């Protein structure tokens, strides 16, 4: 059974940090690019970041460049999203997703094959 399970969300003050994890099982995740998306209430889903399967090419949307870092540990079948200098506008449900090929439109959700259930991130004082 294919599964992507996110963890690490929570409530943090502005300027704080969180590290999200995405644990994969049921498929050969080391052959897949993994992306992070987020969706805030009343807003469309947004592609945040993506990492390739083996050579660690990365993509970031402009609003998180310099603040977020994506990484992966294929031995643990886990992808991480380190989020620093968090802002209230980062508040959203964060999802990880897997697709077979890195590149092209890494921020287009329709190109991804598998999705997790999401983890809530709230940035508030």
């Amino acid at each position: 059974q294919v599964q992507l399970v996110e963890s690490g969300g929570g409530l943090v003050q502005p300027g704080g940090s969180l590290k999200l994890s995405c644990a994969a099982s049921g498929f050969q995740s080391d052959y897949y690019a993994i992306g992070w998306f987020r969706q805030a209430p009343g807003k469309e889903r947004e592609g945040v970041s993506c990492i390739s399967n083996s050579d660690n090419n990365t993509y970031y949307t402009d609003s998180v460049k310099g603040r977020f870092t994506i990484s992966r540990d294929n031995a643990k079948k886990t992808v991480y999203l380190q989020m620093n200098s968090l802002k209230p506008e980062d508040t959203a449900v964060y999802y990880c997703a897997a697709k077979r090929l890195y590149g092209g439109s890494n921020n287009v959700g329709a190109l991804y094959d598998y999705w997790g259930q999401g983890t809530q991130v709230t940035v508030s004082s």
Side-chain angles (χ1 to χ4, degrees):
Q1 181 182 358
V2 172
Q3 277 193 315
L4 290 170
V5 179
E6 303 94 338
S7 61
L11 173 64
V12 64
Q13 292 186 341
S17 299
L18 282 175
K19 187 174 185 178
L20 305 183
S21 298
C22 171
S25 62
F27 69 107
Q28 289 188 292
S29 59
D30 49 340
Y31 290 165
Y32 283 71
I34 304 294
W36 285 96
F37 291 77
R38 65 187 180 186
Q39 188 165 21
K43 294 188 176 182
E44 292 188 353
R45 183 176 59 193
E46 175 188 23
V48 175
S49 183
C50 183
I51 187 166
S52 61
N53 62 316
S54 61
D55 55 6
N56 288 331
N57 284 321
T58 57
Y59 156 84
Y60 298 95
T61 192
D62 286 346
S63 62
V64 308
K65 285 180 181 177
R67 300 189 298 123
F68 290 11
T69 303
I70 191 170
S71 61
R72 68 189 297 161
D73 184 337
N74 284 338
K76 294 183 178 180
K77 296 184 179 295
T78 301
V79 172
Y80 306 96
L81 186 68
Q82 177 67 48
M83 306 186 296
N84 298 329
S85 302
L86 282 161
K87 304 175 181 180
E89 51 263 44
D90 295 316
T91 295
V93 178
Y94 283 70
Y95 302 88
C96 63
K99 66 170 180 171
R100 193 64 181 85
L101 295 174
Y102 177 85
S105 300
N106 291 312
N107 60 338
V108 175
L111 298 178
Y112 287 75
D113 301 307
Y114 308 127
W115 288 82
Q117 294 299 307
T119 185
Q120 176 70 47
V121 171
T122 303
V123 185
S124 175
S125 55

